[in-house]
Amino acid sequence: MIIHDKINVVLEQLRQEFENKSLNLKVEFEGPYLALYTNDTSLLTGETGIIPKIAKLIRKKIIVRPLPEIRVEKEKAKEIIKQKVPKEAGLDEDNIYFDETKGEIHLYFLRPGLLRTRGNLILWELTNETKWRIIIHRKPAIESDIIRTVDHI
């Protein structure tokens, strides 16, 4: 498939799926991946199940990202995260990083496995409420400036 054909296939499939909603989409190629920027949180959380079907059809990995207009402000997003995340997970509140260009929040935990239980319910809620894509990392056992720098380049 030619590049323009792949983009048209993605847009057409999504418009058919969400014909009664006002869906705002932007599709870009980012290296070997296809980045899909959307205002619909059901695509972000994966509850529709259409993204894997489209990825299989066009044979490309699709990364779904939120449009900047729908994202919650950083301070409010931090408050939501602190409320929703269980204390046992050990959230490092000093190392919450916002990646504006990708629409991602990077969170560091002592025990990240606690968030990946019960069908990723906590992650789903965080994504739904903050409208940011949540990326979870295990906090390094030994603090190091080198590791911190490499993680955030």
Side-chain angles (χ1 to χ4, degrees):
M1 249 187 224
I2 299 174
I3 292 173
H4 297 292
D5 293 339
K6 288 184 180 187
I7 291 176
N8 289 335
V9 166
V10 170
L11 292 175
E12 186 60 34
Q13 287 279 336
L14 289 171
R15 286 197 178 102
Q16 286 176 4
E17 185 74 22
F18 298 99
E19 61 187 83
N20 55 353
K21 285 186 177 180
S22 62
L23 188 65
N24 189 2
L25 293 172
K26 186 171 103 176
V27 180
E28 293 179 358
F29 278 96
E30 294 181 357
Y33 306 118
L34 193 67
L36 176 67
Y37 292 86
T38 181
N39 64 344
D40 190 10
T41 55
S42 66
L43 287 173
L44 273 176
T45 56
E47 61 186 274
T48 60
I50 192 166
I51 298 300
K53 293 175 188 172
I54 296 172
K56 187 175 181 180
L57 178 71
I58 64 172
R59 296 183 181 163
K60 281 263 187 218
K61 183 175 179 184
I62 298 176
I63 301 170
V64 181
R65 297 194 173 127
L67 284 169
E69 304 91 57
I70 69 164
R71 297 182 207 146
V72 174
E73 299 163 4
K74 291 180 182 181
E75 292 305 316
K76 187 167 183 178
K78 279 185 180 182
E79 290 174 19
I80 292 170
I81 290 166
K82 290 175 186 176
Q83 289 174 357
K84 293 285 182 183
V85 170
K87 299 287 183 207
E88 307 86 53
L91 172 64
D92 185 0
E93 294 179 7
D94 296 331
N95 286 334
I96 297 177
Y97 294 105
F98 290 85
D99 187 347
E100 290 280 339
T101 57
K102 293 182 179 180
E104 298 174 342
I105 302 175
H106 294 265
L107 303 174
Y108 289 83
F109 293 95
L110 290 173
R111 299 175 63 196
L114 294 175
L115 295 174
R116 294 189 176 116
T117 57
R118 294 179 278 141
N120 289 334
L121 184 62
I122 296 171
L123 291 178
W124 185 83
E125 287 177 1
L126 287 176
T127 302
N128 233 3
E129 290 185 29
T130 62
K131 311 289 193 270
W132 288 76
R133 194 164 170 242
I134 308 294
I135 308 295
I136 295 177
H137 302 279
R138 179 177 299 279
K139 186 176 175 185
I142 301 171
E143 287 294 319
S144 168
D145 289 336
I146 295 171
I147 292 174
R148 193 176 303 120
T149 304
V150 168
D151 270 353
H152 302 292
I153 288 182

